[in-house]
């Protein structure tokens, strides 16, 4: 009988980065413990991406590499929404989300195995492009509604830290948790979607950051080292959604009775200020300021939308305690 740990789907979302995708698929084929499925959601990329997928298929057992192409670009949020749906339809018990700009450490699933017996949502560590440990800002301050610095020193003697935020660059989540909290919310498009998804998971299970390295980041970005964190470059598209999607974060907090309106407003102002600092230090311009303001204004419409609803639980969502995803 196949164990839950073996019934795992790697869920990759890709958009017009065929060479990075090729390297990721090569690493997936070399894993010492193979996943049952590798689901690739192609977000309406140019034909080169499909060429990579066709060539990569020979490296995987038949039926393992699932090529799921979308007719339009739905952003990372839409891609992970669809990828999670496909993985659940295949029968996956665990879903390991990742972008196309990482490589998998060969022993990753062996390293994850003992943690999968204990927790329902797990993040491993990543190496940065240069091989050094990648800094991750990973825990929501509930009053401000923003993730604040989270250091390696926060790991317990058992090698993990409890968190309430997350990233789709490596989130490993039990299917029972996905069914309880619903699919990733495609309305985010990009930015904040993974952070709020782990926050939702933290409402029903323990979300952890474990002291094991499972991924290696491959995409080179301009960045400034501020000591406690790095600031990477960003596009206007990202800046817009960084501000607009604050409204989605706030709506989810409100639905769960955990929104502090004054604190959240301060957190939104701090987010705006951080993006200005990013523009000045990394981009060396203020030309993205108007985009930030537009995103904030469009977020006000989301706050006023009386028809807004959170993503619903899925059919078959567990209602009893037990298993690694048990309720907190």
């Amino acid at each position: 009988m196949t164990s839950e740990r073996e019934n795992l789907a790697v869920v990759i979302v890709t958009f017009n980065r065929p060479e990075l995708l090729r390297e990721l698929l090569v690493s997936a084929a070399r894993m010492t413990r193979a996943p049952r499925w590798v689901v690739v959601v192609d977000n309406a990329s140019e034909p080169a991406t499909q060429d990579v997928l066709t060539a990569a298929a020979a490296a995987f057992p038949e039926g393992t590499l699932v090529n799921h192409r979308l007719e339009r670009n739905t952003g990372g949020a839409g891609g992970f929404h669809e990828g999670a749906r496909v993985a659940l339809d295949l029968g996956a018990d665990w879903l390991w989300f990742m972008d196309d700009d990482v490589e998998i450490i060969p022993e990753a699933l062996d390293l994850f195995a003992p943690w999968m017996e204990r927790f329902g949502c797990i993040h491993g560590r990543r190496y940065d492009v240069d091989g050094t440990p990648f800094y991750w800002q990973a825990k929501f301050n509930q009053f401000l509604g923003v993730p604040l610095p989270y250091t390696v020193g926060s790991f317990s003697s058992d090698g993990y830290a409890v968190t309430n935020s997350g990233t789709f660059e490596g989130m490993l989540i039990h299917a029972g948790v996905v069914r309880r909290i619903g699919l990733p919310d495609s309305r985010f498009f990009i930015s904040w979607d993974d952070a709020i998804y782990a926050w939702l998971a933290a409402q029903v299970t323990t979300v952890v950051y474990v002291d094991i390295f499972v991924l290696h980041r491959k995409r080179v970005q301009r960045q400034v080292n501020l000591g406690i964190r790095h600031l990477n470059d960003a596009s206007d598209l990202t800046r817009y959604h960084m501000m607009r999607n604050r409204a989605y974060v706030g709506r989810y907090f409100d639905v769960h009775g955990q929104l502090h309106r004054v604190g959240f407003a301060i957190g939104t102002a701090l987010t705006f200020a951080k993006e200005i600092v990013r523009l000045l230090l990394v981009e060396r311009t203020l030309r993205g300021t108007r985009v930030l303001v537009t995103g904030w204004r469009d977020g006000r419409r989301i706050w006023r939308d009386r028809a807004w609803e959170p993503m619903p639980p899925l059919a078959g969502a567990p209602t009893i305690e037990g298993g690694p995803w048990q309720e907190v």
Side-chain angles (χ1 to χ4, degrees):
M1 181 180 294
T2 301
S3 72
E4 280 195 349
R5 289 199 309 274
E6 294 168 330
N7 212 34
L8 179 148
V10 173
V11 179
I12 300 166
V13 175
T14 189
F15 177 65
N16 282 339
R17 294 197 289 218
E19 183 55 28
L20 287 171
L21 176 63
R22 186 192 68 77
E23 294 174 357
L24 171 53
L25 292 176
V26 167
S27 72
R30 292 176 177 169
M31 295 170 68
T32 56
R33 183 195 293 254
R36 175 63 183 83
W37 300 279
V38 176
V39 178
V40 180
V41 179
D42 176 3
N43 240 331
S45 302
E46 297 297 323
T49 293
Q50 286 297 306
D51 293 342
V52 166
L53 284 161
T54 299
F60 295 90
E62 185 176 355
T64 299
L65 183 61
V66 180
N67 179 358
H68 189 76
R69 188 177 189 279
L70 303 181
E71 293 303 313
R72 64 183 181 87
N73 180 10
T74 60
F80 285 114
H81 173 102
E82 189 67 8
R85 183 193 66 77
V86 170
L88 292 178
D89 286 348
L90 288 168
D93 292 308
W94 285 90
L95 290 71
W96 191 14
F97 296 125
M98 63 187 70
D99 294 317
D100 57 7
D101 58 353
V102 296
E103 283 185 352
I104 301 170
I105 304 300
E107 302 81 15
L109 292 188
D110 294 301
L111 295 169
F112 267 137
W115 301 105
M116 294 164 72
E117 298 291 337
R118 302 175 60 184
F119 302 111
C121 186
I122 309 164
H123 298 81
R125 299 184 68 187
R126 290 160 282 168
Y127 292 112
D128 211 338
V129 176
D130 61 2
T132 60
F134 176 67
Y135 172 83
W136 182 40
Q137 179 176 301
K139 194 169 186 178
F140 269 112
N141 174 286
Q142 193 63 56
F143 179 70
L144 297 173
V146 295
L148 294 180
Y150 193 92
T151 66
V152 173
S154 298
F155 288 123
S156 71
S157 58
D158 289 335
Y160 73 92
V162 175
T163 186
N164 62 354
S165 182
T167 172
F168 284 152
E169 194 175 273
M171 183 189 301
L172 176 62
I173 188 167
H174 193 276
V177 178
V178 174
R179 292 190 177 95
R180 282 294 306 276
I181 66 177
L183 298 173
D185 193 334
S186 60
R187 293 171 293 188
F188 281 82
F189 194 77
I190 56 173
S191 296
W192 295 103
D193 52 321
D194 45 6
I196 200 63
Y197 200 64
W199 184 86
L200 290 169
Q203 310 311 301
V204 300
T205 192
T206 303
V207 179
V208 294
Y209 183 31
V210 296
D211 193 12
I212 57 171
F213 285 90
V214 293
L215 294 175
H216 188 169
R217 305 178 83 244
K218 297 302 297 288
R219 182 164 61 98
V220 177
Q221 293 180 269
R222 285 180 296 163
Q223 63 176 219
V224 173
N225 186 345
L226 300 180
I228 61 170
R229 65 159 297 161
H230 292 169
L231 284 178
N232 293 324
D233 60 354
S235 66
D236 279 346
L237 187 67
T238 298
R239 278 185 277 274
Y240 169 81
H241 287 93
M242 181 66 68
M243 292 306 302
R244 189 203 70 164
N245 290 351
R246 286 287 296 165
Y248 284 131
V249 173
R251 295 300 300 260
Y252 272 105
F253 282 4
D254 195 24
V255 163
H256 288 267
Q258 297 190 46
L259 175 65
H260 303 278
R261 291 187 178 275
V262 172
F264 195 85
I266 294 171
T268 299
L270 290 173
T271 300
F272 188 93
K274 184 190 75 174
E275 294 307 311
I276 293 295
V277 171
R278 188 195 309 272
L279 281 169
L280 287 171
L281 296 185
V282 183
E283 312 287 351
R284 300 187 181 280
T285 181
L286 283 174
R287 268 182 261 176
T289 304
R290 181 176 295 179
V291 173
L292 294 171
V293 172
T294 301
W296 175 80
R297 286 176 175 167
D298 288 352
R300 302 307 300 169
R301 297 191 185 100
I302 295 169
W303 279 111
R304 294 191 295 265
D305 181 7
R306 296 190 178 186
W308 186 90
E309 294 286 344
M311 293 297 294
L314 301 179
T319 57
I320 59 174
E321 294 185 5
W325 62 273
Q326 61 192 11
E327 295 187 30
V328 295

